[in-house]
Amino acid sequence: MANKVKLRTEYNVEFIMKQQPDVIFLRQNTGEDFISQLENVGVKVFVYPNAKTLDDVKEIHNIFGRVLRTEDKAAAMNKKIDDDVAKLLSEKHNVNAKILIFNSRGAMSTKGSLLGNVFQKLGIENMADRYDIPPGTVLNKEQVVACNPDVFILIDWTDGGYFPSGEVKLKEMYGDPSFAELKAIKNKKVILLPIKYISCGSIYITSSCYEILNILKS
C-alpha cells in the first residue's frame, strides 16, 4: 500500500494548498500557528488526539470513520486490533523480558506512551520506564548500567543521514567498556530493529509487537 503513495506531504502551507485537499488531519501536538495559517487560506483542518493506549488508537479510527463517513471500515480495523491482542495474549509467549530501547540519543523511556502501554499489556518491561521521566527522554550511562537489562533493542534510524547508522551504533555499544559486564552485551543480545517497529501508532502496532515478541523469543 505504501508503494502506491508517490508524494510526501511537506510541512508548509503552499505545498498543502497546491494539493487541494478536502480536509487535512493533524495530530494534537501540531503548532497552533500552522493550523491557523491553513485555516486562514481556507483549508479544512481536523485535529485528532495523540494515542496513549490501544483504546485511544481505536477511538481515533472511530473519529476518522465519522469524519470520512466510513464507520464500517473503522469498526473492521478496531476488530482486527482486538483479535490481534487476543491472539497475542492467548499464545502465552511468556517472554518476560527486561529490555532497554535505544534510539540515536540513548536508552529511552516509553512510560505513559502508546508503545509503553502495549508493552505492559504483553509482559515486556522497558526498564527505562522505572524512572520518572517523560516518554522519549533518555537515560544517562549510569542509569543504563544500573538497569542491566536482558536485551538491548537498538533502533536503526539515521533521519536521512543525520544520525549514525544502526550498525555503527551497534559496534559502539559492544565496544563500550562501561557496558562490558552487562547481560545484554555478554550474551550478545543487542538487537538491531528498524524504526517502523516502534514508531507505529495505528492498526499495525499489534503486528509490530508480534515481531518484537518473536525476536525476544529467539
Side-chain angles (χ1 to χ4, degrees), residues 49-64:
N50 295 320
K52 292 186 177 181
T53 66
L54 281 173
D55 285 339
D56 291 344
V57 172
K58 291 191 291 183
E59 180 53 26
I60 290 171
H61 291 162
N62 289 333
I63 290 170
F64 274 58

Side-chain angles (χ1 to χ4, degrees), residues 153-157 191-199 215:
I153 292 180
L154 177 58
I155 304 306
D156 193 3
W157 183 57
I191 298 168
L192 196 59
L193 202 64
I195 192 172
K196 66 181 181 180
Y197 288 119
I198 71 155
S199 63
I215 288 167

Side-chain angles (χ1 to χ4, degrees), residues 52-204:
K52 292 186 177 181
T53 66
L54 281 173
D55 285 339
D56 291 344
V57 172
K58 291 191 291 183
E59 180 53 26
I60 290 171
H61 291 162
N62 289 333
I63 290 170
F64 274 58
R66 290 194 294 271
V67 173
L68 300 173
R69 298 178 183 174
T70 54
E71 290 95 335
D72 55 336
K73 291 183 179 179
M77 292 168 71
N78 289 343
K79 183 178 184 305
K80 184 180 186 313
I81 287 180
D82 290 337
D83 291 346
D84 286 349
V85 171
K87 183 173 184 289
L88 283 166
L89 295 176
S90 68
E91 289 177 352
K92 295 184 173 59
H93 288 268
N94 294 324
V95 173
N96 294 322
K98 290 179 171 58
I99 67 172
L100 279 178
I101 300 176
F102 282 76
N103 62 14
S104 53
R105 296 180 296 118
M108 65 175 188
S109 169
T110 55
K111 188 175 184 178
S113 70
L114 175 59
L115 184 67
N117 283 313
V118 174
F119 276 174
Q120 191 174 33
K121 183 184 285 284
L122 297 177
I124 301 171
E125 182 185 359
N126 179 16
M127 297 185 76
D129 295 349
R130 295 182 176 185
Y131 295 91
D132 190 19
I133 55 178
T137 307
V138 299
L139 305 186
N140 60 43
K141 190 168 284 189
E142 289 76 18
Q143 290 170 322
V144 172
V145 171
C147 286
N148 193 14
D150 303 314
V151 179
F152 284 160
I153 292 180
L154 177 58
I155 304 306
D156 193 3
W157 183 57
T158 66
D159 193 12
Y162 184 79
F163 299 114
S165 70
E167 293 292 345
V168 170
K169 295 292 291 183
L170 191 69
K171 289 179 182 177
E172 288 179 2
M173 292 177 75
Y174 276 124
D176 190 331
S178 61
F179 289 171
E181 295 303 312
L182 299 184
K183 287 183 287 188
I185 298 296
K186 292 175 75 172
N187 296 327
K188 302 293 183 185
K189 284 290 187 179
V190 181
I191 298 168
L192 196 59
L193 202 64
I195 192 172
K196 66 181 181 180
Y197 288 119
I198 71 155
S199 63
C200 182
S202 71
I203 188 173
Y204 298 107

Side-chain angles (χ1 to χ4, degrees), residues 21 33 40 119 212:
D33 288 345
N40 288 339
F119 276 174
I212 292 171

